[in-house]
Amino acid sequence: MSRTLREITGETRLTAENFVLPYFVRTGSNSEVPIKSMPGISQFTVDRLIADMEEPVKNGLRAVLLFGLPDKKNSEGSSAWDSRGPVPAALRAIKKYYPEVVTMADVCMCEYTDHGHCGPLTETKLGEITVDNDKALLLHARIATAYAEAGADVVAPSGMMDGVVGAIREKLDQSGFIDTTIMAYSAKYASSFYGPFRDAAESPPKSGDRKTYQMSPMNSREALREVELDIEEGADIVMVKPALAYLDIIRMVRDEFILPVAAYNVSGEYSMLKAAIEKNWLSYDAVAETLLSIRRAGADIIISYFAREIFKEDSLIDVYRHSR
Ligand code: PBG
């Protein structure tokens, strides 16, 4: 079969519109700090982020997802809602320089708290230290509103706290941001594939882990329940994360619900392919094949660090670029 015929008859394809590129934003200026465990990915200050986006945007990149690295961390994570923080600053700059790009902002506190958990901590009656859910909800709503004010089109609560989507929707609506979209990390598994991200975002939990609020890899039906709850609370886009070890979950969610489904091709999934390709153990074609599997499983939106390579001038990844 010729290449053209293969393309005409192909059931699934990767298009530029499918991709969201995550960025790690630092405070300060004129600095780019490569992330050791994620070859090709860096933390950028806002000025360098704007410069870095030029090539991918020219080649069809449509959306970015921002993570912030604050100057200071404290027990409350209060720099998360500071309008001068790295994420609001980046949102304003992107809206100014690339008004056509969709801006998404991750709403979480683990990068902002000194203990690395996704909300302020409290002690239960039994003496266990745990995230104070009620307080965390109010703070997440406050962070989401600060991001909407700075120009976020989409806010993405990633902590998977019970009630967080509803709390954010209510506060956004009250503040007049009725059009701000919520992309919920609905089915988020407690995964070792987040390892390199915790390097990148400087956010490993100082003690304990996130297993109490992230899903067990043993479960799949629970994912449907989590998605259902988030939709009831007002989610506009639902997410499955990670993608590769959870392709079955992506398919289940796609079949069960009508909302757009996003899949997060997470840091560890990126790094393991990059490592094998660097060693010449795998050919670069493995990247497109992997991304296609996520599309075939049913994801409408793929959040992937590979988007940086897809939208390079000399990209080796075969996607149908919108701008061409
Ligand atoms: C939480 C968050 C994490 C990721 C995205 N948002 C880390 C975690 O839950 O520990 C992981 C993304 C990746 O691994 O690429 N703010």
Side-chain angles (χ1 to χ4, degrees), residues 6-248:
R6 239 182 5 247
E7 282 173 0
I8 290 172
T9 56
E11 281 175 52
T12 314
R13 59 201 68 219
L14 298 169
T15 66
E17 292 79 2
N18 298 135
F19 288 96
V20 178
L21 174 57
Y23 270 113
F24 300 100
V25 194
R26 302 172 61 83
T27 56
S29 64
N30 197 25
S31 128
E32 168 177 354
V33 180
I35 299 157
K36 243 174 68 197
S37 52
M38 299 179 74
I41 303 296
S42 297
Q43 304 170 346
F44 292 104
T45 52
V46 173
D47 51 344
R48 295 288 287 269
L49 167 75
I50 295 300
D52 191 77
M53 280 177 65
E54 191 176 336
E55 183 176 345
V57 170
K58 197 174 119 225
N59 289 312
L61 176 69
R62 298 312 198 75
V64 294
L65 172 62
L66 305 180
F67 294 93
L69 296 132
D71 267 347
K72 288 188 255 14
K73 302 189 186 219
N74 58 27
S75 63
E76 276 233 298
S78 58
S79 51
W81 56 85
D82 182 351
S83 64
R84 292 156 306 177
V87 170
L91 288 166
R92 286 188 296 268
I94 295 168
K95 280 293 158 201
K96 179 170 168 204
Y97 291 99
Y98 307 107
E100 71 285 11
V101 169
V102 170
T103 51
M104 307 184 172
D106 186 85
V107 177
C108 194
M109 305 192 67
C110 63
E111 295 104 276
Y112 300 90
T113 53
D114 51 16
H115 42 73
H117 282 279
C118 300
L121 298 177
T122 184
E123 201 176 323
T124 65
K125 289 211 174 82
L126 297 173
E128 278 171 17
I129 302 293
T130 175
V131 171
D132 183 339
N133 201 74
D134 291 350
K135 228 188 201 165
L137 292 188
L138 292 174
L139 297 180
H140 278 71
R142 192 163 168 186
I143 299 166
T145 310
Y147 291 170
E149 266 161 18
D153 300 304
V154 180
V155 290
S158 65
M160 243 193 113
M161 228 140 284
D162 288 340
V164 74
V165 173
I168 289 177
R169 185 72 273 161
E170 194 183 330
K171 178 95 195 288
L172 284 174
D173 289 350
Q174 280 168 3
S175 314
F177 295 107
I178 50 173
D179 290 334
T180 306
T181 296
I182 299 179
M183 176 167 74
Y185 285 66
S186 304
K188 178 172 180 179
Y189 283 87
S191 171
S192 41
F193 288 99
Y194 307 147
F197 173 96
R198 291 177 183 171
D199 236 14
E202 300 168 6
S203 67
K206 293 283 175 305
S207 63
D209 54 39
R210 301 197 173 117
K211 293 205 169 87
T212 53
Y213 42 93
Q214 297 182 353
M215 288 181 44
S216 159
M218 287 187 284
N219 295 341
S220 53
R221 291 189 301 266
E222 186 188 352
L224 295 181
R225 182 72 190 130
E226 294 287 352
V227 169
E228 191 175 26
L229 288 172
D230 281 353
I231 293 175
E232 277 168 26
E233 288 180 29
D236 304 290
I237 302 171
V238 292
M239 193 200 294
V240 175
K241 173 184 166 196
L244 294 184
Y246 302 92
L247 292 171
D248 57 329

